[in-house]
Amino acid sequence: MPDSENFKSLWADAVAQYEKQTGRKVATDHTFREFQHLEDLETAMTRKQEQFDEYRNQHRRIRSALAKCITPLQPILSITQTTIASTPFAPAAAVLGAASHLLQACESVTKAYDGIEELFENMGNITTRVKEYEHGEIDSSLQIKMTNILAYFLEILGIAEGCIRRRRVKHIKASLKRLKSYIENELGLVVALIYRNTKDTQASNRILQVGVGELLASQRNEKQKAISSEDQRKLMDRLKTSTVDEVAREHTSNVEKLTKKTGDWIGHDSKFQAWEQETAPILWVFGKPGVGKTMLAARTIEMLRCRYPQHPEIPSLTSVSYLYFKGGNPRFQDCTQLWKTAALQIAKVNVLFKRHVIKLVDEEETFASAIRIWQRLFLDFFKEDTPSQSSTSLAFIIVDGLDEGTEVERGKFLACLNELVSQSTKDRHYRVQFIVFARPEIRADFGFKKVSLGIKERTIEITSERNKADIVRFIQDRLRTVPVVLGGNREFSTEAPKDLDNMLYHVFKRLDVKERLQQSYLHDLLSWVFCAFWPLRISDLFVLLLTSASQHCYMLENHLEGRYSSLFDVFPGSVDFVHGSEEFLTASNGDASQEDDFGFLYQSEDEEDGGDIAQSAMSTVDQQEHLSLTGDSNPAIQHDDTEGTFQIPSSWDERTVEFNHARIREFRATEGCPGVHPHLTYALVNWMKHLSDINFSNVSESVDAQLAHQLARLFLDGEGLLKVAIQDNKHFLECWLLTNRYSSLVRHIITRHVDDLDQGDRDWALSVSLSARALFQPLVAACARQWLQKSGWDDEAYTDMSTKEAWIMHAWNRISDEGLPSENVLDSENIPLDALKNVATLEPLPKDEHWHTSVAWTMLREHHKGPASEYFRKALELRPGGWVAHEGLAVCYSQGFRDYNAATNEMTAAVQALPETETFRKLGVEFYLESKIAEWRIQLSGDEEALDSAQRVYERSHNFTYGTGWFSNTAILSSIKHCIEALYRNKQYFRLAALLQEVNTRYTLEARSLWSVFLRAQIDPYFNVDIFEKMARIAQKVDDSGFLDCLRDPLKQLGQLDAASIAENQMAQLALDAAQWLYRYGPQVSDAVEIWETVVSLADQSDEVVQQYLYSHRNRAAGYLAMVHFEAATKSLGSGEDVSHHITALERLATLKQGDKRQYRASYPALALGLWRREYVKAEEGAWRSCISSSVNEALLMLRDEDPWNDQWAYAQLGLALLSAGDFLNASLALGVTMRPLEERHHPAQQAAGDQVAGDQAAEVSSRDDLSEDKASRKATEEAESSQTQNLTTPSCSHEEIPWPVPDPIHREGCQQCNEEQLGAAETETSASEDSSTINPKYAGFECVWTCDGPCATPQTSYTELHFCCVCDDTSFCEKCIQLVRSGKLPYRHCALDHPFVQVFPVTEDAKRMTDALIEGRFEMQQEWLERLKKTWDE
């Protein structure tokens, strides 16, 4: 009989016996079909637990016993299931159903619970060993034993149920004995089977051992032949560092801490499995602190090492290496050392890689930096140029704790990863797989953003759900060592009061709040003590904390000597510094709250809401601590409730606070920079305001005298006061020299105590009492010395030619003896020339070459170029060879006179005269001067000589790193700009593409891409090079996917805006330009879409002021998004796919929420939505007209108002809206009116007539050339293309040259003189216009508003045709480019050949008549037409 039949027969007999004992039919009982797993039975028990308390209490123990009994049976239930599952009573269902009936029987006989619990305990002890069968298949003879065991198990359950119903629980023991006997028989059979299998295994092992030994011997011989001992020594000398052993010890320690099965879940994660199969080179595993990242990394290493054995004696092409970044350990912070460690780990198992490294060990350049090691050792070896991976090496590299590395080292590491990602293509693959464990904060690193393409598909987040099982295992493993605690917890859990969980929650919540607030308190303490120039007294600290953070720190002394005694020391002694703590509190703290500064730590949210749970849980100890924090228990602290003040203990005036760590004190004294701390900044800006708030009637005479002494010391120290003044020059002028509010107060305090001052200070104090000018005399003297005196041409002061000193002296020269200014000097953008000459002579200083040079540079900065050049020449006459005078004279020639030859000669002389000092060399002064020469040579000509000059300067930029100083920063960006201009002017597009790619591989001091920095610098007119236009031309001329790939990430980063950056108009504009380029030339439209959505989202979330500011940017981004969604919707509709997503997006872009309703915007998204409804879904007329009417009505409103200057744009908006509505006749008329400039270009006579009507001279027009239209168009096109090439670098004004040294390019303002000249010209023009005639209320002239959106370079006024797309936003093409569109040959992504077009130019006769009438002042035709349109759209 087959085995399966034996199984079925045995099981059928067992079921029959069960039915006989219980009188129940298994086949018809629903209970035996309800339970398939133990979890099903437990669920049913849980439902009953919730209903009956008694049932819950009794079943709490029996559930555990039942689980202990049945859980070991699960493997054999599964094994026998495959054989006898076809019977009406499968084993799992039968056993679990029988257990369910047994438990139901217990409900009627509650005393049976103890007996049944004992039964299940005994059965569990018997069956526990069969659980081991879960790990594999078993022999057929054992399967029969398993069936017999289940049969007896079922029999016992049946007998137990019968005994319970008959109240005879003890009769089950006989069945238990038989079950135990079968288990023992099974054990004997297992032993016999093991013996048989062991004999077979021994024989196989002997054969395998012989083969392995032969293989190892052969491999050892090959290795000895391939690698000599000398090569091995060189390899170890080059790669072996102390970091290697440290990393190995770290991993060993982590593995020892691993709990069994901890972290196994990562191996089953689909993203990990995909990464292991090399679908992506990098897998990021993010987790917050303490979630077990390091243990998970250790498990990952062991898992991979198990799959790919890493044995030195068994070479393998697959290696597993690991790296650790650890804070506080220098060996784990050096990226160069860590790469060497990884290389040595790989070389131990991969002979091919070892040979590769040995070839490079003698090359010093290879090991000079982390990036070179990565490129030469790793990328060069693991590169695979074919799709095949059958015989190439593979490296798995596990990195833990990247977030703990320093910012610089993280930048180096991420730059290496960027090399891996950016250089991988479909034809080039690098078989290096990284898995990086780090905190989520690493995403904020600049380098991460370059590597994070497709990050969502390559990221694993460690969540509580993922590592819950790991935590449970860890707790269970550790709890075995604390049985007493475990027992106590068990006893407590049975007697826990109701709502204990809520109480614990509120306790921990209060503790969390308390901890955060105490951290804030400690932060303030540390900040004040660290940033003070002298040891602060406790009373000083109390006042500072009160005024800066509103903290009433009554227990401050106790905290310093108790809780924070490990940080601070409190010393007896005094400090010579006036603080006036008592008087200050008396004067200013009368309105302060008397609530304790830490009293709110004990108030939970529930208490605020009236809850009493937390209050009831507060112990007596908590209440005592609460009282102690208020200070009521300290007799030294006195509260005066009637006066509303707090009396500081006198001892606080005598005790000072200092750090008790000597290293911190040393750093604070020698290396610290307290000037940048916000607390010190606050003091610098506001000390005089607090001084004016003091009620001096309550200040003692001695304290007032000390204050006068300190103020005298401050204002007599001219150099020190100057340092304060130049930190915020404008604020200093406004507070001290444009008002006498504070200077009068200081003079009054000093005058009251002249006799208390030092003998040497009294004469000055007497003069201060007579004149406010005397108060600032020491400051003015210091300004003159710092501004006008230098020690020589090598003086470092020449690297910072600031005008702040001159402004202070200029403002001082305008105040009276009472301290009142005769004028507000800040109302003028520049210091007048006469005033500048006057302040330069206020102090009796020698008028040597340095005096003339310094004055000249200030004149140059203040836009007095002519006098500045005279002073520079005088300086060179006094002392020839002054490099800074030559440099200034060169700037005068270039900015003021456009004499680039003379400027180049002077700058060359400056380079030759530049002293060779270490400071100048580090700052890159010579490099900066040479970059200016290259710039002017490009201005002179665009030939090869200028290109060579620009190329040489750019090559020199490799000697400097961006971020080290203003000179080198400016020169680096300038060299890139000039090289781009020169290459573009000479049409060297391939070299230009290579240049941009090379710039993208360079990094700044902060590990940022130099290309990204240059892109952001485009907001500065000085560095602007129309880069997006040049990139577009390169993309059209150069077919190089690598060029597009290298530009993609930096352009995407420009779109990473936030609420702060988008408010900067230029940054938003730059992001939109980047998005347009990515849309047109990038590989994925989604890159541009992401930027547009960011702009729209941030604009919509802003307040009304910012929304108005971002109006045009929001419209531009929304227009592109609408085009993308419209195109996607039309394609989806044609293929029968769902379009709802795209239409919903269109509706969101097209509408604006006003109150409870959404109104359609006057924008392209609304027009696109109307077009969709009209043409594609054939909606009712009202449905699509409502989308378009906003644009139409807004345009009609502008055309009917009294402002003629907005009419041209109104006609344009109206025409585009009517195109979307299908009203091509009126659209052509509206757009035709805007074509007047094109009409005038092609019909000179018509222009002459119009000009005559306007009062201009027709004779000036009649002399135009008589070229034919085609010839004129071609000539104009050639001229435009030529001017586009030649005039790329022509400055927009004669003042574009920026002063030297150059400020940060991101924050430079435009040319002030140019702005003033334009403003003056506009005012003059407006005045003349108003005097001559009244402005025409219906016509103000026409400007050309249309540009062809094709690749041509045709000037706006040279088109012979213009065709408008009826689908795309504001899109038109000239006569040449429309052919490219219709043939599908447009070289970038824009519009489509299946879009309908309307030819608007040449204009219709109606449009001609309309424009003629407007020019001639006949407005009836226009008014009638507008009325007809208004009536149509009002219906």
Side-chain angles (χ1 to χ4, degrees):
M1 180 181 294
D3 290 339
S4 60
E5 294 301 324
N6 281 332
F7 299 151
K8 292 179 181 179
S9 176
L10 287 171
W11 186 244
D13 292 343
V15 172
Q17 184 65 22
Y18 175 80
E19 292 177 340
K20 178 179 179 181
Q21 294 165 346
T22 60
R24 183 180 296 107
K25 293 296 183 181
V26 174
T28 59
D29 194 323
H30 173 73
T31 304
F32 293 95
R33 297 190 299 274
E34 182 179 359
F35 307 113
Q36 298 297 325
H37 303 281
L38 179 59
E39 291 81 0
D40 300 334
L41 180 58
E42 290 181 337
T43 301
M45 294 174 65
T46 301
R47 285 198 298 267
K48 287 198 172 185
Q49 265 186 287
E50 296 171 353
Q51 299 173 8
F52 306 105
D53 290 341
E54 182 63 25
Y55 185 88
R56 177 182 60 189
N57 294 334
Q58 294 289 349
H59 276 59
R60 182 176 298 169
R61 301 190 306 273
I62 204 169
R63 282 183 64 181
S64 176
L66 176 63
K68 179 181 177 181
C69 171
I70 295 183
T71 299
L73 294 178
Q74 292 285 29
I76 64 174
L77 287 171
S78 301
I79 293 169
T80 57
Q81 180 79 12
T82 57
T83 307
I84 56 181
S86 58
T87 65
F89 19 82
V95 171
L96 294 173
S100 176
H101 281 294
L102 176 59
L103 293 175
Q104 292 175 13
C106 291
E107 294 180 30
S108 59
V109 186
T110 57
K111 293 182 179 180
Y113 277 110
D114 293 337
I116 294 303
E117 180 183 3
E118 183 181 359
L119 171 66
F120 284 151
E121 288 281 354
N122 292 333
M123 293 175 68
N125 293 334
I126 295 173
T127 61
T128 184
R129 66 166 311 281
V130 301
K131 185 176 185 294
E132 298 303 320
Y133 291 116
E134 66 179 341
H135 300 295
E137 298 180 354
I138 61 176
D139 191 88
S140 59
S141 58
L142 274 177
Q143 291 186 32
I144 295 176
K145 288 289 184 185
M146 296 301 103
T147 306
N148 280 322
I149 290 172
L150 290 177
Y152 274 100
F153 196 90
L154 186 62
E155 177 185 346
I156 291 171
L157 293 177
I159 293 173
E161 182 183 347
C163 290
I164 288 172
R165 296 188 184 279
R166 295 191 299 271
R167 308 308 198 263
R168 298 178 179 178
V169 180
K170 297 182 179 180
H171 291 183
I172 308 172
K173 293 184 178 179
S175 298
L176 280 175
K177 290 181 179 179
R178 288 198 297 272
L179 175 62
K180 186 174 182 180
S181 174
Y182 261 85
I183 292 290
E184 292 173 351
N185 290 338
E186 172 266 345
L187 178 60
L189 181 57
V190 168
V191 172
L193 291 173
I194 290 174
Y195 176 76
R196 183 189 69 187
N197 293 335
T198 301
K199 299 294 289 183
D200 295 340
T201 303
Q202 288 176 344
S204 300
N205 283 344
R206 282 193 293 270
I207 299 173
L208 182 61
Q209 186 175 5
V210 173
V212 170
E214 294 174 353
L215 177 62
L216 290 176
S218 175
Q219 290 177 342
R220 281 194 294 268
N221 292 335
E222 290 295 326
K223 287 174 63 178
Q224 292 174 356
K225 294 178 182 178
I227 302 175
S228 65
S229 59
E230 179 62 20
D231 289 339
Q232 185 73 21
R233 183 190 63 77
K234 287 183 178 180
L235 177 73
M236 296 302 293
D237 289 344
R238 180 65 76 176
L239 298 183
K240 182 72 173 180
T241 65
S242 59
T243 304
V244 175
D245 297 330
E246 288 273 6
V247 169
R249 282 194 292 269
E250 179 71 19
H251 175 64
T252 302
S253 174
N254 292 335
V255 172
E256 291 174 353
K257 298 174 185 176
L258 275 175
T259 305
K260 184 179 180 182
K261 295 187 178 181
T262 294
D264 283 353
W265 59 267
I266 195 172
H268 305 293
D269 190 283
S270 59
K271 293 178 182 178
F272 179 87
Q273 294 172 349
W275 167 80
E276 190 178 357
Q277 296 301 317
E278 301 180 64
T279 58
I282 306 172
L283 177 65
W284 299 91
V285 183
F286 293 125
K288 296 180 179 180
V291 298
K293 295 186 295 296
T294 299
M295 292 298 102
L296 191 59
R299 177 61 68 196
T300 303
I301 297 169
E302 291 304 294
M303 187 186 306
L304 292 173
R305 287 164 68 94
C306 181
R307 296 176 185 174
Y308 312 99
Q310 305 291 291
H311 197 284
E313 298 297 330
I314 307 178
S316 172
L317 293 179
T318 301
S319 58
V320 179
S321 58
Y322 45 88
L323 307 173
Y324 290 96
F325 284 87
K326 292 292 180 185
N329 190 335
R331 295 188 181 92
F332 289 156
Q333 295 282 350
D334 190 335
C335 194
T336 302
Q337 302 302 317
L338 290 175
W339 281 140
K340 290 182 179 181
T341 300
L344 186 59
Q345 292 172 353
I346 297 173
K348 288 181 178 180
V349 297
N350 191 327
V351 178
L352 298 179
F353 181 79
K354 180 182 285 188
R355 293 172 182 168
H356 168 71
V357 177
I358 289 174
K359 293 178 182 178
L360 303 172
V361 292
D362 294 328
E363 297 181 7
E364 291 294 335
E365 182 185 357
T366 298
F367 299 89
S369 64
I371 191 70
R372 292 298 296 163
I373 294 176
W374 171 247
Q375 291 171 342
R376 298 285 284 133
L377 265 61
F378 293 88
L379 291 185
D380 289 354
F381 177 78
F382 289 102
K383 178 172 65 175
E384 182 183 62
D385 291 323
T386 63
S388 172
Q389 300 178 3
S390 57
S391 60
T392 57
S393 298
L394 169 64
F396 291 102
I397 301 179
I398 299 89
V399 181
D400 179 50
L402 178 59
D403 52 278
E404 297 187 43
T406 64
E407 184 176 0
V408 173
E409 295 303 318
R410 293 200 311 266
K412 293 179 182 178
F413 180 81
L414 292 172
C416 294
L417 293 191
N418 181 54
E419 290 275 320
L420 172 66
V421 174
S422 61
Q423 295 188 24
S424 298
T425 64
K426 62 181 181 180
D427 298 324
R428 186 193 304 123
H429 176 67
Y430 295 91
R431 299 200 69 197
V432 184
Q433 296 295 112
F434 278 93
I435 180 169
V436 184
F437 296 81
R439 297 181 183 180
E441 291 80 1
I442 197 71
R443 291 186 175 108
D445 281 21
F446 177 80
F448 178 84
K449 299 172 184 176
K450 300 191 67 174
V451 185
S452 61
L453 181 63
I455 193 65
K456 291 183 179 179
E457 291 73 32
R458 298 183 295 181
T459 299
I460 295 177
E461 298 283 351
I462 305 178
T463 63
S464 58
E465 292 299 323
R466 287 182 180 272
N467 62 2
K468 182 178 180 180
D470 293 345
I471 295 173
V472 171
R473 290 192 200 95
F474 178 84
I475 293 174
Q476 291 176 344
D477 182 67
R478 297 300 187 269
L479 279 181
R480 296 193 189 102
T481 63
V482 284
V484 176
V485 175
L486 186 60
N489 285 340
R490 284 174 176 169
E491 180 180 355
F492 173 75
S493 64
T494 61
E495 301 175 357
K498 190 176 182 180
D499 292 328
L500 174 65
D501 51 350
N502 287 335
M503 296 179 188
L504 292 175
Y505 167 76
H506 286 288
V507 168
F508 284 112
K509 185 175 181 180
R510 286 204 314 276
L511 290 174
D512 177 59
V513 173
K514 179 177 179 179
E515 180 181 358
R516 285 187 279 111
L517 290 169
Q518 288 183 348
Q519 285 177 353
S520 175
Y521 171 48
L522 177 58
H523 173 269
D524 290 336
L525 277 176
L526 290 169
S527 300
W528 282 116
V529 175
F530 182 81
C531 295
F533 286 106
W534 50 79
L536 295 174
R537 290 177 289 195
I538 300 178
S539 55
D540 297 333
L541 267 179
F542 182 89
V543 174
L544 291 171
L545 292 170
L546 175 63
T547 56
S548 65
S550 299
Q551 296 185 27
H552 300 73
C553 304
Y554 305 141
M555 298 298 295
L556 179 58
E557 184 177 22
N558 291 3
H559 293 162
L560 293 171
E561 295 182 324
R563 180 188 299 168
Y564 303 130
S565 59
S566 61
L567 298 174
F568 303 106
D569 278 337
V570 181
F571 300 99
S574 60
V575 181
D576 185 19
F577 173 64
V578 174
H579 58 91
S581 56
E582 301 168 12
E583 292 80 2
F584 177 82
L585 287 170
T586 303
S588 62
N589 199 34
D591 297 329
S593 171
Q594 296 305 305
E595 180 185 352
D596 168 51
D597 53 333
F598 290 110
F600 55 87
L601 294 179
Y602 299 91
Q603 183 178 23
S604 69
E605 292 180 5
D606 293 282
E607 288 176 307
E608 294 173 359
D609 296 335
D612 60 352
I613 294 177
Q615 186 175 4
S616 64
M618 181 182 282
S619 67
T620 304
V621 176
D622 293 329
Q623 296 170 4
Q624 291 174 351
E625 182 184 1
H626 174 70
L627 292 174
S628 67
L629 282 174
T630 64
D632 292 342
S633 61
N634 191 341
I637 299 177
Q638 302 175 9
H639 297 266
D640 188 349
D641 296 331
T642 60
E643 297 294 331
T645 60
F646 161 68
Q647 187 71 26
I648 293 180
S650 58
S651 61
W652 286 16
D653 282 330
E654 301 170 357
R655 309 192 68 191
T656 59
V657 183
E658 182 58 282
F659 281 104
N660 60 12
H661 292 276
R663 180 67 189 95
I664 297 179
R665 293 198 299 270
E666 178 185 352
F667 177 88
R668 188 170 66 91
T670 59
E671 304 172 38
C673 184
V676 301
H677 195 276
H679 286 163
L680 185 58
T681 302
Y682 177 87
L684 290 173
V685 173
N686 296 289
W687 71 268
M688 76 291 297
K689 299 176 184 177
H690 288 292
L691 184 67
S692 65
D693 291 337
I694 295 177
N695 183 357
F696 283 94
S697 62
N698 295 325
V699 177
S700 64
E701 187 70 17
S702 61
V703 170
D704 198 27
Q706 291 182 57
L707 178 59
H709 177 75
Q710 291 297 325
L711 289 174
R713 291 287 85 204
L714 172 63
F715 282 88
L716 277 169
D717 182 8
E719 281 74 16
L721 189 58
L722 178 58
K723 292 178 181 179
V724 174
I726 63 177
Q727 287 199 27
D728 191 342
N729 201 38
K730 182 180 178 182
H731 180 269
F732 183 86
L733 296 180
E734 289 175 341
C735 289
W736 293 103
L737 298 174
L738 297 182
T739 178
N740 66 350
R741 176 184 177 185
Y742 303 117
S743 60
S744 297
L745 175 62
V746 171
R747 291 172 59 206
H748 184 63
I749 296 173
I750 294 175
T751 302
R752 288 202 306 262
H753 298 281
V754 173
D755 295 336
D756 296 323
L757 300 180
D758 295 340
Q759 185 64 41
D761 300 341
R762 293 177 184 175
D763 291 341
W764 170 81
L766 289 173
S767 64
V768 167
S769 66
L770 300 175
S771 173
R773 294 171 61 85
L775 180 67
F776 302 102
Q777 185 61 51
L779 171 64
V780 171
C783 286
R785 290 191 297 271
Q786 184 163 307
W787 172 28
L788 300 171
Q789 284 189 321
K790 305 292 186 294
S791 61
W793 295 121
D794 59 351
D795 195 323
E796 295 181 10
Y798 275 127
T799 63
D800 183 17
M801 300 296 291
S802 172
T803 63
K804 292 180 179 180
E805 298 88 349
W807 274 98
I808 293 173
M809 296 175 69
H810 174 48
W812 176 83
N813 206 32
R814 289 293 188 269
I815 66 172
S816 64
D817 288 336
E818 290 75 26
L820 293 173
S822 60
E823 61 175 313
N824 187 345
V825 296
L826 295 180
D827 288 342
S828 174
E829 294 293 337
N830 309 108
I831 303 177
L833 180 60
D834 291 340
L836 186 56
K837 291 180 178 180
N838 187 12
V839 298
T841 59
L842 289 176
E843 291 294 315
L845 300 176
K847 296 181 181 180
D848 56 8
E849 65 276 10
H850 302 297
W851 184 91
H852 281 87
T853 301
S854 300
V855 173
W857 265 108
T858 304
M859 289 178 174
L860 185 58
R861 288 279 188 95
E862 299 300 321
H863 304 294
H864 307 300
K865 299 181 180 62
S869 63
E870 296 177 4
Y871 274 62
F872 281 131
R873 292 191 186 95
K874 181 64 176 178
L876 292 173
E877 290 177 5
L878 294 172
R879 181 68 62 88
W883 71 275
V884 69
H886 282 295
E887 193 257 352
L889 197 55
V891 174
C892 289
Y893 279 126
S894 65
Q895 288 187 10
F897 313 115
R898 297 283 176 168
D899 189 346
Y900 298 117
N901 278 319
T904 301
N905 294 334
E906 289 294 337
M907 194 63 81
T908 302
V911 172
Q912 295 171 352
L914 182 70
E916 295 182 0
T917 68
E918 183 67 14
T919 299
F920 289 171
R921 185 189 65 79
K922 288 183 178 180
L923 292 177
V925 176
E926 183 178 356
F927 173 39
Y928 169 82
L929 300 179
E930 290 179 343
S931 71
K932 303 299 294 182
I933 296 175
E935 175 184 343
W936 294 330
R937 284 179 176 168
I938 293 175
Q939 298 283 8
L940 289 170
S941 66
D943 55 15
E944 289 291 334
E945 181 182 356
L947 176 58
D948 292 341
S949 176
Q951 193 75 36
R952 284 195 301 272
V953 174
Y954 173 73
E955 291 299 328
R956 183 167 183 180
S957 71
H958 288 79
N959 298 330
F960 299 90
T961 300
Y962 185 91
T964 55
W966 279 350
F967 293 101
S968 57
N969 289 353
T970 304
I972 289 171
L973 295 182
S974 297
S975 68
I976 298 172
K977 170 192 173 183
H978 303 329
C979 206
I980 291 174
E981 289 174 336
L983 289 170
Y984 190 83
R985 183 178 288 187
N986 287 275
K987 299 182 180 181
Q988 300 287 328
Y989 300 121
F990 285 92
R991 290 177 63 185
L992 184 50
L995 170 68
L996 299 187
Q997 293 182 72
E998 198 268 339
V999 172
N1000 191 46
T1001 63
R1002 295 175 61 182
Y1003 290 88
T1004 69
L1005 188 65
E1006 299 177 349
R1008 299 169 60 195
S1009 165
L1010 183 58
W1011 174 239
S1012 296
V1013 173
F1014 182 76
L1015 285 176
R1016 292 183 180 274
Q1018 295 302 292
I1019 66 176
D1020 188 325
Y1022 181 71
F1023 298 108
N1024 186 283
V1025 71
D1026 294 327
I1027 190 63
F1028 293 103
E1029 293 183 11
K1030 291 178 171 58
M1031 287 162 52
R1033 182 60 60 91
I1034 297 171
Q1036 296 171 24
K1037 298 291 185 180
V1038 178
D1039 185 15
D1040 183 4
S1041 60
F1043 168 73
L1044 299 178
D1045 291 339
C1046 88
L1047 298 182
R1048 180 185 179 190
D1049 285 347
L1051 290 178
K1052 287 178 62 180
Q1053 290 165 11
L1054 289 179
Q1056 295 174 352
L1057 303 170
D1058 53 26
S1061 59
I1062 197 173
E1064 300 178 22
N1065 181 61
Q1066 293 173 314
M1067 289 306 300
Q1069 180 67 43
L1070 199 62
L1072 291 175
D1073 290 342
Q1076 178 176 305
W1077 194 93
L1078 287 169
Y1079 173 71
R1080 290 190 170 188
Y1081 302 100
Q1084 297 179 5
V1085 175
S1086 59
D1087 294 339
V1089 168
E1090 184 177 349
I1091 298 176
W1092 292 326
E1093 287 180 341
T1094 299
V1095 172
V1096 171
S1097 175
L1098 290 174
D1100 290 346
Q1101 295 171 12
S1102 304
D1103 57 43
E1104 293 184 2
V1105 175
V1106 178
Q1107 286 185 9
Q1108 290 292 329
Y1109 184 73
L1110 297 175
Y1111 176 79
S1112 60
H1113 297 319
R1114 199 265 183 203
N1115 276 359
R1116 182 181 175 189
Y1120 273 106
L1121 285 174
M1123 286 195 293
V1124 171
H1125 286 294
F1126 188 92
E1127 285 297 313
T1130 56
K1131 291 180 181 179
S1132 298
L1133 185 66
S1135 59
E1137 299 177 4
D1138 182 28
V1139 300
S1140 59
H1141 166 69
H1142 301 294
I1143 302 306
T1144 301
L1146 266 181
E1147 291 175 343
R1148 175 180 58 85
L1149 294 169
T1151 56
L1152 172 67
K1153 187 175 182 181
Q1154 294 182 343
D1156 297 333
K1157 299 181 180 179
R1158 299 193 70 87
Q1159 303 292 334
Y1160 287 107
R1161 299 173 182 263
S1163 62
Y1164 171 75
L1167 299 181
L1169 185 61
L1171 178 62
W1172 170 264
R1173 292 176 177 176
R1174 181 176 67 83
E1175 283 293 325
Y1176 293 90
V1177 298
K1178 306 301 180 183
E1180 295 291 335
E1181 184 175 1
W1184 61 262
R1185 282 170 65 93
S1186 63
C1187 302
I1188 301 173
S1189 61
S1190 295
S1191 295
V1192 173
N1193 290 330
E1194 184 180 84
L1196 292 175
L1197 184 63
M1198 287 190 289
L1199 290 172
R1200 294 164 63 87
D1201 63 18
E1202 298 301 321
D1203 180 11
W1205 302 102
N1206 61 12
D1207 285 4
Q1208 187 77 335
W1209 297 104
Y1211 283 121
Q1213 177 176 316
L1214 180 60
L1216 296 176
L1218 294 176
L1219 280 182
S1220 299
D1223 187 356
F1224 301 135
L1225 180 62
N1226 284 311
S1228 299
L1229 179 56
L1231 294 174
V1233 174
T1234 66
M1235 300 293 172
R1236 186 67 183 189
L1238 297 182
E1239 284 290 303
E1240 294 171 350
R1241 170 68 177 174
H1242 290 279
H1243 301 284
Q1246 187 175 19
Q1247 182 193 11
D1251 289 343
Q1252 187 174 15
V1253 172
D1256 293 334
Q1257 298 295 326
E1260 295 180 2
V1261 182
S1262 60
S1263 62
R1264 295 200 173 196
D1265 58 75
D1266 56 354
L1267 293 173
S1268 65
E1269 289 190 1
D1270 292 341
K1271 185 176 181 180
S1273 177
R1274 288 196 299 272
K1275 183 178 180 181
T1277 301
E1278 293 171 359
E1279 291 174 353
E1281 291 176 345
S1282 176
S1283 64
Q1284 185 180 18
T1285 302
Q1286 295 179 1
N1287 298 329
L1288 283 168
T1289 60
T1290 302
S1292 58
C1293 69
S1294 62
H1295 322 293
E1296 186 174 326
E1297 200 77 45
I1298 60 176
W1300 179 93
V1302 182
D1304 189 333
I1306 302 303
H1307 301 291
R1308 268 197 72 244
E1309 298 181 355
C1311 175
Q1312 183 60 40
Q1313 183 174 350
C1314 185
N1315 294 338
E1316 290 181 355
E1317 292 175 358
Q1318 292 175 356
L1319 179 60
E1323 292 175 350
T1324 303
E1325 182 178 352
T1326 301
S1327 176
S1329 176
E1330 290 176 351
D1331 291 342
S1332 60
S1333 61
T1334 304
I1335 297 177
N1336 190 325
K1338 299 297 182 184
Y1339 168 68
F1342 296 102
E1343 58 178 324
C1344 194
V1345 296
W1346 304 111
T1347 303
C1348 174
D1349 290 293
C1352 71
T1354 308
Q1356 286 180 311
T1357 56
S1358 299
Y1359 306 129
T1360 58
E1361 295 178 6
L1362 270 182
H1363 302 258
F1364 281 75
C1365 179
C1366 298
V1367 176
C1368 297
D1369 180 24
D1370 188 13
T1371 298
S1372 59
F1373 296 99
C1374 68
E1375 64 279 1
K1376 296 177 181 178
C1377 295
I1378 189 64
Q1379 302 303 323
L1380 296 176
V1381 177
R1382 288 171 174 166
S1383 61
K1385 296 181 180 179
L1386 202 64
Y1388 46 79
R1389 188 183 291 111
H1390 191 63
C1391 202
L1393 57 89
D1394 59 345
H1395 287 182
F1397 285 84
V1398 172
Q1399 182 174 343
V1400 177
F1401 186 78
V1403 301
T1404 63
E1405 290 298 324
D1406 288 339
K1408 290 181 181 179
R1409 287 195 296 272
M1410 177 84 76
T1411 53
D1412 289 341
L1414 289 173
I1415 293 173
E1416 296 169 3
R1418 296 180 287 105
F1419 309 124
E1420 296 80 6
M1421 181 179 178
Q1422 181 215 35
Q1423 295 301 310
E1424 292 176 1
W1425 176 62
L1426 294 177
E1427 286 296 331
R1428 288 196 303 271
L1429 283 176
K1430 184 177 185 303
K1431 183 178 180 181
T1432 300
W1433 284 91
D1434 283 345
E1435 294 177 354

